[in-house]
């Protein structure tokens, strides 16, 4: 069964500092991986996706993530944090379909990013 | 462009009352549709999904039901709400295998 672990439910960085949010997955087949961001009382917005092409994936808002098969990781980074990056971030994996169609997405429990002045 | 709408944004209901949350998608045809519930610190739990009109699958047994009367309309319902039904409900769609899911803005449901 697929699963996702996000280490650190809360991460705090200074404005301008590197952002690193960790995600490890388990999957019996090559996975598709996604990072989403959620602002308070809003839905999830797709940041980036890995679909077996380049291992370094660039997303919106200056974020990127690197797929490392040997480490079963897909960590999210951003070189310089902005105050507007404060939000909750979710990693998700999809490696199988649902009965009859559809995609089974398994989400991590999320990491709340705080950006301080 | 494609968009997804959910309403209402917030809802306060008494225990035992019925529920109807609606989700519609624009700009695409025959999407896969999903209902999730989000609880604090627990990520997202898939409740229902649909690959076509009147085709609904349930992922977890519960007090809720879902229907898809039209291609781009997905409804989450309950006949009698329980306190445990409180939460943040999200609708999502995608356009095929291993495509990313796109989410609505959610409904905050509080049961009193």
């Amino acid at each position: 069964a697929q699963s996702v672990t996000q280490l650190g439910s809360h991460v705090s960085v200074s404005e301008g500092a590197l952002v690193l949010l960790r995600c490890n997955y388990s999957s019996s087949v090559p996975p598709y991986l996604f990072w989403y961001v959620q602002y308070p009382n809003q839905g999830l917005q797709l940041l980036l996706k890995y679909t077996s092409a380049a291992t370094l994936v660039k997303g919106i808002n200056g974020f990127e993530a690197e797929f490392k098969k040997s480490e079963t990781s897909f960590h999210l980074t951003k070189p310089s944090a902005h105050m507007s990056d404060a939000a909750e971030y979710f990693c998700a994996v999809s490696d199988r379909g649902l009965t009859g169609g559809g995609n089974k997405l398994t989400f991590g429990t999320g990491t709340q990013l705080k950006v301080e002045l | 462009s494609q968009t997804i709408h959910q309403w209402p944004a917030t809802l306060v209901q008494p225990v035992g009352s019925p529920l109807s949350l609606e989700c519609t998608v624009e700009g695409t045809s025959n999407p896969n549709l999903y209902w999730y519930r989000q609880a604090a610190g627990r990520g997202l739990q898939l409740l229902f999904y649909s690959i076509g009109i009147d085709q609904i699958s349930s992922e977890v047994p519960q007090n809720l039901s879902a229907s898809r009367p039209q291609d781009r309309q997905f409804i989450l319902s309950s006949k009698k709400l329980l306190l445990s039904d409180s939460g943040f409900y999200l609708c999502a769609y995608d356009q095929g295998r291993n495509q990313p899911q796109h989410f609505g803005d959610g409904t905050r449901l509080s049961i009193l």
Side-chain angles (χ1 to χ4, degrees):
Chain A
Q2 56 192 10
S3 67
V4 176
T5 301
Q6 290 185 242
L7 288 176
S9 59
H10 292 80
V11 170
S12 183
V13 300
S14 299
E15 191 174 34
L18 171 72
V19 176
L20 171 61
L21 304 182
R22 299 178 185 275
C23 172
N24 288 87
Y25 68 91
S26 69
S27 174
S28 57
V29 298
Y32 289 75
L33 294 157
F34 308 90
W35 274 102
Y36 287 87
V37 60
Q38 184 179 33
Y39 297 97
N41 294 313
Q42 293 186 24
L44 278 68
Q45 179 184 6
L46 180 69
L47 274 179
L48 49 81
K49 62 181 179 181
Y50 167 75
T51 56
S52 74
T55 56
L56 183 62
V57 181
K58 294 188 183 298
I60 62 172
N61 301 340
F63 284 93
E64 62 183 35
E66 186 173 8
F67 172 70
K68 292 187 177 180
K69 183 178 178 180
S70 61
E71 299 178 7
T72 60
S73 68
F74 191 57
H75 302 331
L76 182 71
T77 60
K78 182 173 180 178
S80 177
H82 295 160
M83 296 297 290
S84 60
D85 294 327
E88 190 158 22
Y89 292 80
F90 292 91
C91 181
V93 61
S94 173
D95 67 358
R96 67 178 177 89
L98 293 160
T99 302
N103 297 295
K104 175 68 173 178
L105 269 188
T106 299
F107 288 85
T109 52
T111 296
Q112 187 70 46
L113 176 66
K114 182 178 180 181
V115 181
E116 299 173 321
L117 286 171
Chain B
S1 64
Q2 299 151 16
T3 55
I4 178 169
H5 302 282
Q6 271 187 256
W7 67 92
T10 59
L11 189 59
V12 181
Q13 293 284 94
V15 169
S17 63
L19 172 75
S20 180
L21 303 181
E22 191 159 343
C23 171
T24 59
V25 179
E26 296 177 357
T28 184
S29 60
N30 198 30
N32 296 321
L33 295 171
Y34 307 83
W35 277 112
Y36 289 88
R37 178 165 54 207
Q38 184 178 23
R42 296 176 60 186
L44 278 73
Q45 180 186 36
L46 179 63
L47 302 176
F48 300 95
Y49 67 95
S50 172
I51 62 168
I53 295 174
D54 294 330
Q55 299 180 67
I56 309 294
S57 298
S58 174
E59 279 290 286
V60 292
Q62 58 208 309
N63 184 42
L64 303 168
S65 62
S67 61
R68 184 172 178 175
Q70 300 180 47
D71 180 45
R72 291 171 289 178
Q73 183 185 28
F74 205 24
I75 298 171
L76 184 69
S77 303
S78 175
K79 292 182 179 178
K80 285 187 176 182
L81 285 167
L82 306 173
L83 282 173
S84 57
D85 292 324
S86 292
F88 192 50
Y89 289 84
L90 290 160
C91 181
Y93 77 93
D94 67 41
Q95 295 179 284
R97 184 79 177 94
N98 291 324
Q99 294 301 306
Q101 291 179 13
H102 301 278
F103 289 79
D105 283 337
T107 295
R108 177 77 58 191
L109 176 63
S110 299
I111 310 300
L112 303 179

